[in-house]
């Protein structure tokens, strides 16, 4: 049991390092790769998403090795993986890249059928497995048939790790959609840095593509319920960002990004108590960065009408960590301005 917990902890830490790499290093790296290889710039967003998934697989498979490496060695390792992926899928076999993009949009069956290993099953017209018909054909009850399905799913690589990987991708898609809605409606004011423009439609397309990644079985009930709820919505109302982010934190409670965006969504709705609860859970379960945690605490003080205490908090933090340029810049701006705007 202890070894399993250690493995899970190592994977969580590796994914945290990957999140920092994807935020700070990957955008420029992908742009340089496309430029050097003479590839169309239209591949930029798609390639970033695919490389993120490829590196996440490396984190899940080699987490103990990833977390003990120095940062420069770890980043070099991921850059080599990215270059190898680009060579294999975009340069050496360009048709394979297009086929993979097409196949990812078609969805997947409940079980990947391999005639040499998987016993024959009955399928319905929509391509899904007919569980009751297959159970009757083999002379077993429904519960026994589900146990056999779970066994073959693990044998074919669709076990817990596969489920955890795509569950994390779903949480990221929900977080991105909620954040894009807040940004598109100009409901938050963010720190100035290069960002892509909000695109909720593209986020919804990503959710639709994820439907085929969750086969119909009890283990994926939560993910399928979340996807079904949001894809049946005809419109996203004013409260949609908060509900999207609540779904994201339910799927990925150990990631800090969904909690911090949920914090912002609560402040947009004027719910300071909900924002405080989101920040508390984020600090307890997801280990946010020092900068994000300090700015969120100051934002909460501002929302409660304690602007003086917010300035004092930022001033102390900037003095304690002088190398953090973000804290120093925000603290200086607030000291220069008598009335701070809602949000940073």
């Amino acid at each position: 049991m202890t070894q399993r917990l250690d493995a899970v902890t190592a994977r969580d830490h590796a994914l945290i390092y990957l999140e920092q790499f994807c935020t700070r290093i990957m955008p420029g790296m992908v742009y340089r790769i496309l430029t050097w290889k003479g590839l169309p710039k239209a591949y930029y967003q798609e390639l970033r998403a695919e490389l993120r998934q490829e590196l996440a697989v490396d984190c899940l498979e080699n987490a103990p090795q990833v977390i003990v490496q120095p940062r420069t060695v770890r980043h070099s390792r991921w850059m080599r993986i990215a270059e190898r992926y680009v060579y294999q899928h975009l340069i050496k076999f360009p048709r394979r890249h297009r086929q993979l993009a097409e196949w990812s949009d078609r969805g997947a069956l409940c079980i990947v059928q391999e005639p040499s290993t998987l016993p024959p099953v009955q399928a319905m017209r929509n391509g899904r497995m007919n569980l009751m018909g297959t159970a009757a054909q083999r002379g077993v009850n429904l519960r026994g048939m589900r146990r056999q399905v779970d066994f073959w799913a693990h044998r074919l690589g669709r076990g817990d790790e596969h489920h955890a990987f795509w569950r994390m991708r779903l949480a990221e898609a929900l977080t991105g959609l909620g954040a894009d809605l807040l940004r598109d409606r100009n409901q938050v004011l963010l720190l100035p840095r290069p960002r892509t423009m909000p695109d909720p439609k593209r986020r919804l397309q990503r959710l639709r593509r994820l439907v085929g990644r969750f086969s119909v079985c009890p283990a994926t009930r939560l993910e399928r319920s979340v996807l079904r709820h949001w894809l049946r919505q005809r419109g996203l109302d004013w409260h949609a960002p908060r509900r999207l982010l609540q779904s994201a934190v339910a799927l990925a409670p150990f990631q800090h990004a969904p909690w911090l965006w949920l914090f912002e969504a609560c402040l947009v709705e004027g719910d300071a108590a909900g924002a405080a609860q989101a920040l508390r859970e984020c600090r307890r379960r997801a280990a946010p960065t020092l900068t994000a945690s300090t700015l969120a605490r100051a934002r909460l003080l501002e929302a409660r009408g304690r602007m003086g205490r917010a300035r004092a908090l930022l001033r102390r933090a900037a003095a304690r960590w002088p190398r953090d340029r973000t804290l120093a810049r925000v603290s200086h701006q607030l000291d220069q301005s008598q009335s701070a705007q809602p949000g940073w």
Side-chain angles (χ1 to χ4, degrees):
M1 183 65 180
T2 304
Q3 293 179 352
R4 182 176 179 82
L5 290 175
D6 291 342
V8 172
T9 304
R11 287 198 296 267
D12 290 340
H13 283 292
L15 290 173
I16 290 174
Y17 292 147
L18 177 61
E19 181 70 24
Q20 297 172 356
F21 177 82
C22 292
T23 303
R24 301 175 183 176
I25 309 297
M26 182 179 285
M29 180 192 71
V30 173
Y31 184 81
R32 288 192 298 272
I33 289 176
L34 294 177
T35 302
W36 293 341
K37 304 298 182 182
L39 298 172
K41 298 300 186 290
Y43 281 170
Y44 180 78
Q45 294 295 341
E46 182 180 358
L47 183 58
R48 280 189 62 181
E50 291 183 357
L51 289 179
R52 185 189 187 95
Q53 294 179 7
E54 192 73 13
L55 297 179
V57 172
D58 180 61
C59 290
L60 295 175
E61 293 179 348
N62 307 298
Q65 182 180 355
V66 169
I67 62 176
V68 299
Q69 289 179 334
R71 183 175 59 180
T72 55
V73 177
R74 184 168 57 247
H75 288 181
S76 299
R77 168 199 183 96
W78 285 339
M79 289 178 183
R80 289 194 301 271
I81 293 175
E83 291 178 353
R84 184 167 62 247
Y85 181 89
V86 170
Y87 175 75
Q88 290 290 337
H89 294 273
L90 296 181
I91 298 176
K92 187 176 181 181
F93 301 108
R95 294 183 179 179
R96 185 180 177 188
H97 170 73
R98 292 195 294 269
Q99 291 174 354
L100 289 175
E102 293 174 359
W103 292 342
S104 64
D105 293 335
R106 295 178 186 173
L109 300 178
C110 179
I111 294 180
V112 179
Q113 297 192 21
E114 293 185 5
S116 60
T117 57
L118 183 63
V121 298
Q122 290 188 10
M124 297 183 288
R125 291 183 178 180
N126 60 3
R128 297 186 182 276
M129 175 181 173
N130 186 344
L131 194 63
M132 296 185 64
T134 306
Q137 181 182 7
R138 298 188 185 182
V140 298
N141 57 26
L142 194 58
R143 181 176 297 180
M145 189 65 234
R146 283 176 177 157
R147 284 198 296 267
Q148 293 183 22
V149 169
D150 292 339
F151 169 77
W152 282 106
H154 282 275
R155 287 284 301 272
L156 298 174
R158 292 298 184 98
D160 295 338
E161 291 187 358
H162 178 272
H163 179 206
F165 174 81
W166 287 110
R167 181 173 185 158
M168 192 66 64
R169 303 291 78 75
L170 175 57
E172 291 174 355
L174 293 170
T175 303
L177 178 57
D180 276 7
L181 288 175
L182 291 174
R183 294 171 57 201
D184 193 45
R185 299 170 183 178
N186 294 322
Q187 293 178 323
V188 291
L189 185 62
L190 303 175
L191 287 170
R193 65 175 179 83
R195 289 186 175 88
T196 58
M197 294 297 294
D199 191 356
K201 292 183 179 180
R202 185 174 62 85
R203 302 288 188 178
L204 284 172
Q205 291 175 358
R206 173 65 174 160
L207 286 180
R208 294 189 184 97
R209 290 198 298 269
L210 286 172
V211 171
R213 299 297 181 177
F214 299 98
S215 43
V216 181
C217 61
T220 62
R221 184 178 291 113
L222 175 60
E223 292 83 358
R224 289 184 289 110
S225 175
V226 170
L227 283 168
R228 185 167 55 248
H229 173 76
W230 288 110
L231 293 179
R232 288 181 178 178
Q233 297 287 325
R234 293 189 176 181
L236 298 173
D237 58 15
W238 192 75
H239 298 283
R242 180 171 181 174
R243 293 186 286 112
L244 278 164
L245 294 164
Q246 286 173 340
S247 299
V249 298
L251 293 171
F254 301 107
Q255 296 295 314
H256 66 271
W259 285 111
L260 292 175
W261 278 107
L262 177 60
F263 168 84
E264 291 291 343
C266 292
L267 288 183
V268 167
E269 295 186 0
D271 185 6
Q277 178 66 22
L279 179 58
R280 191 179 305 115
E281 290 296 320
C282 179
R283 298 179 67 186
R284 183 174 69 88
R285 308 174 71 176
T289 62
L290 172 67
T291 303
S293 178
T294 304
L295 291 177
R297 290 169 58 196
R299 288 276 287 118
L300 187 59
L301 289 172
E302 177 202 13
R304 290 174 171 173
R306 301 174 182 176
M307 199 60 213
R309 295 187 60 180
R311 289 195 184 95
L313 171 64
L314 290 173
R315 200 177 299 116
R316 290 195 306 270
R320 185 175 181 182
W321 296 285
R323 294 185 179 181
D324 194 317
R325 297 181 180 179
T326 301
L327 292 177
R329 184 172 69 250
V330 174
S331 178
H332 178 72
Q333 290 175 353
L334 290 183
D335 287 340
Q336 295 294 324
S337 175
Q338 294 296 326
S339 57
Q341 296 181 358
W344 301 308

